[in-house]
Amino acid sequence: DVKVTQSSRYLVKRTGEKVFLECVQDMDHENMFWYRQDPGLGLRLIYFSYDVKMKEKGDIPEGYSVSREKKERFSLILESASTNQTSMYLCASQTAGTSGYNEQFFGPGTRLTVL
Amino acid sequence: LAKTTQPISMDSYEGQEVNITCSHNNIATNDYITWYQQFPSQGPRFIIQGYKTKVTNEVASLFIPADRKSSTLSLPRVSLSDTAVYYCLVGERGQGGYNKLIFGAGTRLAVHP
């Protein structure tokens, strides 16, 4: 079974702090994604990566950056946390192959609160 | 990317069949229809995917009419543990890159005893 793990389930930070959210997958997937989920808004894509050291902006990249130094690990960075970044953050991974369902496998999420 | 529309919420009772319909009027030729399920405090998980006609697996069935402008997720004999949010998504399969998924607000299904 694919396993996607995230470094923390709950995190509380203060405004202005630099925040790192880590995600690791164990299925050698090429693609990795970071979403945030807010009530009534569904999941919104922040950034994705289709290869090591490659990244692409999603729909709401402002205030975030990412790092992918190794294939299995994708980090989301909040350079200077703000209260409007309080949210549930979800990481996902996906194979880049064209056969099969190509579903995204999600981690359990990190609920970040910025005070 | 095709936009999808689905009911915000539905209620059912244990043992009933639940059908959740999603409309996607602007679906493209290469698009597949995929459904995810999300329990509270968990990430979404893949349920089923189809292109046309009917697809069935151990969890659900997916009915897609010939014009593909809508689809219906069918959950047979639901139990309390099927209470979750169900997302309908439309998009291409990965083609060496990625397939960007747009998750709307989903349908919140509540199953009652």
Side-chain angles (χ1 to χ4, degrees):
Chain A
D1 277 351
V2 174
K3 193 166 182 186
V4 180
T5 57
Q6 295 183 227
S7 51
S8 305
R9 288 303 303 270
Y10 300 94
L11 208 53
V12 180
K13 296 292 182 181
R14 294 203 175 275
T15 302
E17 281 192 81
K18 191 169 185 175
V19 182
F20 293 86
L21 302 182
E22 303 283 336
C23 175
V24 177
Q25 52 97 0
D26 66 358
M27 280 300 291
D28 202 36
H29 283 169
E30 292 80 9
N31 302 336
M32 295 187 75
F33 307 80
W34 275 107
Y35 295 87
R36 63 177 283 177
Q37 184 172 29
D38 302 287
L41 295 179
L43 280 76
R44 292 181 290 167
L45 181 64
I46 305 171
Y47 266 98
F48 69 94
S49 168
Y50 52 89
D51 201 352
V52 174
K53 297 191 186 295
M54 305 304 289
K55 61 186 179 184
E56 293 285 343
K57 293 180 180 179
D59 299 318
I60 51 165
E62 296 78 21
Y64 303 95
S65 62
V66 291
S67 171
R68 193 163 180 204
E69 297 296 319
K70 293 185 178 181
K71 191 175 185 181
E72 67 270 19
R73 188 179 298 268
F74 192 34
S75 302
L76 179 70
I77 303 154
L78 287 66
E79 297 289 343
S80 177
S82 64
T83 55
N84 62 14
Q85 291 179 309
T86 291
S87 186
M88 170 70 87
Y89 289 88
L90 290 156
C91 173
S93 76
Q94 177 197 46
T95 181
T98 55
S99 63
Y101 296 114
N102 290 119
E103 70 263 39
Q104 292 188 15
F105 294 87
F106 284 82
T110 295
R111 186 166 295 282
L112 172 67
T113 301
V114 182
L115 302 174
Chain B
L1 290 165
K3 180 180 162 68
T4 61
T5 304
Q6 53 184 122
I8 293 174
S9 63
M10 294 182 70
D11 289 275
S12 185
Y13 292 90
E14 285 189 290
Q16 289 188 337
E17 178 184 75
V18 171
N19 295 308
I20 306 174
T21 297
C22 177
S23 78
H24 26 80
N25 292 317
N26 297 321
I27 189 168
T29 303
N30 294 334
D31 286 343
Y32 283 75
I33 300 154
T34 309
W35 286 80
Y36 281 75
Q37 174 191 55
Q38 185 178 24
F39 297 115
S41 301
Q42 294 186 26
R45 68 167 189 156
F46 172 88
I47 302 177
I48 198 166
Q49 185 181 82
Y51 185 80
K52 60 182 178 182
T53 63
K54 177 183 174 183
V55 179
T56 296
N57 62 22
E58 65 277 6
V59 176
S61 294
L62 179 59
F63 299 91
I64 306 168
D67 67 5
R68 303 198 330 122
K69 292 184 183 299
S70 67
S71 59
T72 298
L73 175 73
S74 181
L75 304 172
R77 297 180 297 282
V78 295
S79 64
L80 296 177
S81 62
D82 292 314
T83 294
V85 178
Y86 293 83
Y87 297 96
C88 166
L89 301 97
V90 170
E92 293 187 32
R93 284 184 176 176
Q95 294 179 339
Y98 74 103
N99 64 336
K100 182 177 174 180
L101 301 178
I102 296 181
F103 287 80
T107 296
R108 189 171 297 275
L109 172 67
V111 179
H112 305 281

